[in-house]
C-alpha cells in the first residue's frame, strides 16, 4: 500500500534521476512484496513486511542507496554491496541503472523469512 508521505518525499527530490530511481525502487519493492507497508521514518522511505523492516531508500547528495534488511543468509554479488551481514546496501549514482531484477530476487529471499 502506497503512503502519500513517501510519494511527496520522492516527488520532492532535487534531481530528476533520483526521482526516477527512487520511484522504480519503490515499485520494485511493491511488486516483490505485494503486502509491503511503507512509511517515512528517519526522513527516508522504509518498507516493512509483517511489521519488520525489509528495505529502505536513502537518497543523498550524490547517490541513491537501497538497503535490504534480514540479509545474513543471502549470497550477494561481490563488490556491489556494503554493510554488516544483517543488512546490505547498494549505491546508485547518476547515470547508473540499478539491477532491479537482482534487487528483487534478493529482497524476495530476505522477505521470505519475515513471517
Amino acid at each position: 500500500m502506497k503512503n502519500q508521505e513517501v510519494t511527496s518525499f520522492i516527488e520532492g527530490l532535487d534531481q530528476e534521476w533520483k526521482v526516477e530511481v527512487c520511484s522504480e525502487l519503490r515499485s520494485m519493492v511493491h511488486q516483490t512484496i505485494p503486502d509491503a507497508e511503507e512509511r517515512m521514518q528517519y526522513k527516508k522511505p522504509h518498507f516493512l513486511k509483517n511489521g519488520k523492516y525489509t528495505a529502505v531508500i536513502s537518497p543523498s547528495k550524490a547517490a541513491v542507496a537501497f538497503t535490504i534488511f534480514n540479509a545474513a543468509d543471502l549470497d550477494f554479488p561481490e563488490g556491489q554491496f556494503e554493510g554488516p551481514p544483517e543488512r546490505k546496501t547498494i549505491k546508485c549514482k547518476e547515470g547508473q541503472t540499478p539491477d532491479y531484477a537482482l534487487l528483487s530476487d534478493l529482497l524476495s529471499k530476505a522477505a521470505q523469512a519475515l513471517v
Side-chain angles (χ1 to χ4, degrees), residues 93-111:
K93 296 183 175 162
E94 188 171 7
Q96 297 176 325
T97 302
D99 185 341
Y100 296 109
L102 170 67
L103 294 176
S104 177
D105 182 57
L106 292 166
L107 184 62
S108 176
K109 290 174 182 169

Side-chain angles (χ1 to χ4, degrees), residues 1-16 18-20 22-23 26 30 38-41 43-47 57 59:
M1 179 185 322
K2 295 201 174 184
N3 175 311
Q4 186 56 45
E5 264 189 295
V6 173
T7 301
S8 298
F9 174 82
I10 292 173
E11 289 174 353
L13 291 170
D14 62 345
Q15 293 178 294
E16 187 58 35
K18 290 181 193 174
V19 173
E20 290 173 17
C22 289
S23 295
R26 181 188 195 189
H30 285 289
E38 63 177 27
R39 66 177 174 217
M40 289 298 295
Q41 196 164 350
K43 299 181 182 175
K44 299 172 191 163
H46 284 68
F47 302 89
I57 298 172

Side-chain angles (χ1 to χ4, degrees), residues 32-103:
T32 304
I33 309 169
D35 58 343
E37 174 194 343
E38 63 177 27
R39 66 177 174 217
M40 289 298 295
Q41 196 164 350
Y42 310 111
K43 299 181 182 175
K44 299 172 191 163
H46 284 68
F47 302 89
L48 299 91
K49 178 183 176 187
N50 299 327
K52 297 174 184 151
Y53 292 110
T54 58
V56 63
I57 298 172
S58 309
S60 65
K61 198 172 196 111
V64 172
F66 183 72
T67 302
I68 297 173
F69 293 90
N70 196 40
D73 296 329
L74 303 181
D75 291 322
F76 284 83
E78 243 181 88
Q80 293 183 42
F81 293 82
E82 52 192 53
E86 67 274 8
R87 65 181 181 276
K88 293 292 184 186
T89 301
I90 189 167
K91 291 182 180 169
C92 174
K93 296 183 175 162
E94 188 171 7
Q96 297 176 325
T97 302
D99 185 341
Y100 296 109
L102 170 67
L103 294 176

